[in-house]
Amino acid sequence: MSGMRSYYISRIVVAVGFGALFFLGGAPWWQAALVALAVIAWFWWAPRSGRYQVNPELGMTPLRRDERSQGINDTAGRNAFIVVMLVTGATAVYAGLTGSTQVPVRALNWLLILGVVVYYGSDFWLRRRGR
Amino acid sequence: MPVKNHVREARQAASLTQEALAAQVGVTRQSIIAIEQGKYGPSVKLALELAAALGVRVEDLFELEGGRERGSR
């Protein structure tokens, strides 16, 4: 992992930015610090995970997907998009049937979380099952 | 029709690690593992690059399982 200094420095800046966003959004300082640490841990793990080609000569953006990883990423993204669209449609139908005129913002948060879960679940499954 | 491959045997004959082969052809080690386990069918380009890196012909690396004899129609 030599020659990756600019990658790590830039990712620490990104992680601190994430933590600051949480803090400014009203989260307690320790939650913001945990988020920043989790982001740093993810950026530390990524070049060692074997999921990316690592090209230190590319400076701050040394990680590249190869053709298999790109295919998995595309499929996982498509799965997440389809599920989120279907659930959004189902929510609209449910709201129409029950006479609700408003969908709570919290439901949108859950939709986003569902999309992330489907994406990473698909990614994990496709890597294990083979593609 | 499933594709059988001999990447592991060719790699071991060439005394290459999975990591070294991955670096030579520009993919991740996970992709080499997936190909060797038959979990991933590489693109034509990657198959050709693997064959070149291992010093064999591409048809010696990959074959159709239960496929036709060469030259038959």
Side-chain angles (χ1 to χ4, degrees):
Chain A
M1 294 298 143
S2 60
M4 297 280 283
R5 182 180 296 174
S6 57
Y7 167 78
Y8 287 117
I9 291 173
S10 63
R11 286 348 184 246
I12 286 171
V13 171
V14 170
V16 170
F18 262 98
L21 270 179
F22 269 72
F23 184 67
L24 294 173
W29 70 266
W30 59 269
Q31 275 184 13
L34 270 182
V35 167
L37 276 177
V39 174
I40 287 175
W42 193 90
F43 284 129
W44 181 85
W45 167 82
R48 293 166 174 76
S49 65
R51 292 177 168 222
Y52 300 95
Q53 289 172 258
V54 181
N55 307 294
E57 67 277 9
L58 295 177
M60 282 196 290
T61 56
L63 305 185
R64 292 284 183 278
R65 291 190 182 97
D66 65 2
E67 62 175 43
R68 174 171 171 268
S69 292
Q70 188 60 51
I72 288 172
N73 176 65
D74 293 347
T75 307
R78 190 187 62 206
N79 291 349
F81 179 77
I82 290 170
V83 168
V84 168
M85 287 299 106
L86 287 174
V87 175
T88 303
T91 306
V93 169
Y94 176 78
L97 289 176
T98 57
S100 311
T101 54
Q102 294 174 333
V103 175
V105 173
R106 201 170 37 185
L108 300 178
N109 291 342
W110 283 111
L111 272 177
L112 283 176
I113 291 169
L114 176 68
V116 171
V117 168
V118 171
Y119 176 85
Y120 282 105
S122 296
D123 180 282
F124 181 75
W125 186 71
L126 287 166
R127 285 181 192 281
R128 279 188 66 93
R129 186 211 64 171
R131 187 186 176 281
Chain B
M1 193 173 284
V3 176
K4 198 165 80 177
N5 77 72
H6 305 285
V7 173
R8 187 191 304 269
E9 294 89 325
R11 177 179 60 76
Q12 287 170 345
S15 302
L16 284 172
T17 62
Q18 290 171 329
E19 198 156 10
L21 178 59
Q24 274 198 38
V25 299
V27 297
T28 62
R29 186 172 46 84
Q30 281 194 354
S31 291
I32 298 296
I33 293 168
I35 291 168
E36 288 186 355
Q37 291 177 344
K39 289 182 174 178
Y40 175 62
S43 65
V44 172
K45 178 174 175 283
L46 179 53
L48 290 166
E49 285 173 344
L50 284 168
L54 294 169
V56 297
R57 296 177 311 169
V58 72
E59 56 266 43
D60 294 330
L61 274 188
F62 299 94
E63 62 178 300
L64 289 173
E65 215 162 312
R68 295 175 300 191
E69 290 293 315
R70 188 182 299 174
S72 65
R73 289 178 185 252

